[in-house]
């Protein structure tokens, strides 16, 4: 397996970073698949996973009212290597 992610994965990570840095919570919410299986968010800040569109929407509303600035910069190739090797 290559150490570089496919271009669509790299584009997604870059888009995710940019939306977080702009605090574009509606844009972040749009990155989640909502028509297939229910989305599941497993964040460190919650004791149990958030399941479903309604819970995910409440999550974005909560953090939108709390976070005033963010700078996010992931490394797509690092994230790809870690996830590709864990399957």
């Amino acid at each position: 397996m290559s150490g570089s992610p496919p271009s669509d994965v790299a584009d997604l990570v870059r888009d995710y970073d940019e939306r977080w840095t702009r605090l574009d919570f509606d844009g972040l919410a749009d990155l989640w698949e909502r028509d297939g299986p229910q989305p599941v968010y497993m964040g460190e800040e919650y004791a149990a996973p958030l399941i479903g569109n309604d819970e995910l929407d409440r999550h974005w509303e909560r953090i939108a009212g709390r976070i005033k600035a963010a700078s996010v910069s992931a490394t797509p190739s690092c994230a790809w290597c870690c996830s590709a090797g864990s399957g």
Side-chain angles (χ1 to χ4, degrees):
M1 173 163 289
S2 169
S4 298
S7 62
D8 56 341
V9 172
D11 291 346
L12 174 66
V13 171
R14 190 171 19 275
D15 196 21
Y16 179 83
D17 290 352
E18 290 171 359
R19 291 176 191 210
W20 257 112
T21 299
R22 289 192 318 262
L23 300 181
D24 178 5
F25 298 109
D26 289 334
L28 283 163
D30 289 343
L31 294 175
W32 287 75
E33 175 62 46
R34 292 173 173 259
D35 295 331
Q38 292 187 6
V40 176
Y41 175 77
M42 299 185 333
E44 295 177 1
E45 67 273 31
Y46 297 109
L50 304 180
I51 301 171
N53 291 320
D54 291 339
E55 287 193 22
L56 189 59
D57 290 340
R58 281 192 294 276
H59 164 72
W60 293 121
E61 290 170 11
R62 276 191 298 270
I63 62 172
R66 295 179 180 165
I67 297 177
K68 302 302 178 205
S71 177
V72 177
S73 180
T75 304
S77 61
C78 179
W80 175 254
C81 292
C82 294
S83 66
S86 65

